[in-house]
Amino acid sequence: KYPINVIDSDKDVAKQVIPKEYLCPLSNLIMDDPVIALNRITYDRSSIINQYQNIPNYSSLLIDGNLRFYADYGLRQNIQKFLKKSK
């Protein structure tokens, strides 16, 4: 778990501990649209689209040269519930 100060201030989250799994490993921000990459790591969709080349061995995230990932609807729902409770 991470303290609140690791995310940006435009997310109206009360001062509390944010579960680590809610934070994108690339941006360190709460994910808006979590997706599971082929390396089985969950990232925020916009972060992985813009920063996938910064991931070691990023070619393993590609199929036929295209970035592939799958929406993580369960995690997205949990994050949304967390943010609603935090207001």
Side-chain angles (χ1 to χ4, degrees):
K1 295 186 178 189
Y2 288 86
I4 190 74
N5 62 7
V6 298
I7 66 163
D8 60 359
S9 59
D10 70 300
K11 307 275 185 196
D12 285 334
V13 179
K15 288 197 177 217
Q16 63 181 334
V17 175
I18 299 169
K20 180 180 178 180
E21 61 270 18
Y22 294 178
L23 300 175
C24 175
L26 294 173
S27 67
N28 247 2
L29 301 174
I30 292 180
M31 293 183 273
D32 291 320
D33 189 3
V35 294
I36 304 168
L38 294 178
N39 62 0
R40 298 184 186 155
I41 297 174
T42 301
Y43 303 94
D44 189 59
R45 183 183 302 268
S46 63
S47 293
I48 194 167
I49 288 172
N50 294 318
Q51 300 180 50
Y52 75 91
Q53 292 175 327
N54 296 333
I55 299 170
N57 197 20
Y58 73 85
S59 61
S60 66
L61 306 175
L62 308 173
I63 295 178
D64 296 329
N66 296 309
L67 186 61
R68 298 291 178 160
F69 45 77
Y70 304 92
D72 190 337
Y73 296 113
L75 181 57
R76 184 177 185 177
Q77 190 173 40
N78 289 343
I79 292 169
Q80 288 172 345
K81 286 179 190 176
F82 173 79
L83 291 173
K84 281 183 183 178
K85 270 196 318 189
S86 301
K87 287 188 176 188

